[in-house]
Amino acid sequence: MSLIYPNSNCTFKPSLAFFLGEFDIYDREESLGEYLNRFNPNDRKQIRFLLEQLFFNGARVKSLTSEHKKVLFERLLDALGEPGYDFKSVFELNEDHCFCLPFDWEINDYRLFFEECYRLAVDHWGDELRALNVTLPELQALNIL
């Protein structure tokens, strides 16, 4: 039996873009967009603050089970563990989808965003993941400073 999205019949097969969902300003340019434009996407502390506030404490993530979190974490771990992974491609906008990041954001280090996702996933989900026998590599093993 495959894992499905909460309150849905759709199979849960998230990409790394799942972590960007709360930063989508499409149709919210004047509210969420203006708020997010106040932050520097290249500042680790500011991205960590936004991830904490919008993603890890957001309703969408709070609805996930431990198994969903395991799938997300393992997807994140695979990407961070792959030398040369193209993190920029995750941020590239597809005209076929209604998705838009803050207009003023000029990202220099796309990996930084996912490094902070990893740190916070360990902080927020570590106990749940360990209970599912998921290995949580040390930051140095993933070349995270």
Side-chain angles (χ1 to χ4, degrees):
M1 188 161 135
S2 61
L3 192 60
I4 61 168
Y5 278 91
N7 305 313
S8 170
N9 295 349
C10 299
T11 303
F12 187 73
K13 291 185 180 179
S15 70
L16 276 185
F18 189 93
F19 290 96
L20 297 177
E22 276 61 36
F23 298 88
D24 178 11
I25 65 163
Y26 183 81
D27 241 2
R28 301 183 293 175
E29 296 89 350
E30 295 177 3
S31 56
L32 181 60
E34 287 184 13
Y35 173 70
L36 292 176
N37 275 330
R38 292 187 236 153
F39 295 89
N40 178 352
N42 301 298
D43 183 304
R44 193 175 291 278
K45 289 180 182 176
Q46 291 184 35
I47 287 300
R48 186 176 177 90
F49 171 79
L50 288 173
L51 283 165
E52 180 88 42
Q53 178 188 47
L54 300 174
F55 184 80
F56 286 94
N57 287 307
R60 187 169 65 123
V61 169
K62 290 202 177 273
S63 72
L64 299 177
T65 66
S66 296
E67 289 78 15
H68 290 99
K69 294 171 186 174
K70 176 183 176 184
V71 170
L72 280 170
F73 185 81
E74 289 175 341
R75 180 66 190 103
L76 181 60
L77 190 56
D78 288 344
L80 289 168
E82 184 180 320
Y85 187 90
D86 183 11
F87 289 97
K88 181 179 180 181
S89 68
V90 181
F91 288 83
E92 290 175 349
L93 304 179
N94 181 335
E95 293 180 16
D96 295 335
H97 294 94
C98 297
F99 179 85
C100 187
L101 290 172
F103 299 130
D104 292 345
W105 278 17
E106 292 182 26
I107 301 171
N108 299 325
D109 183 0
Y110 295 92
R111 181 183 163 97
L112 178 144
F113 181 91
F114 296 102
E115 289 177 356
E116 291 311 305
C117 286
Y118 181 82
R119 289 176 198 267
L120 287 166
V122 170
D123 290 349
H124 284 265
W125 305 341
D127 292 339
E128 290 177 77
L129 294 170
R130 284 184 201 92
L132 295 172
N133 296 315
V134 175
T135 301
L136 311 179
E138 294 295 323
L139 297 177
Q140 296 81 5
L142 297 170
N143 294 316
I144 299 174
L145 303 176

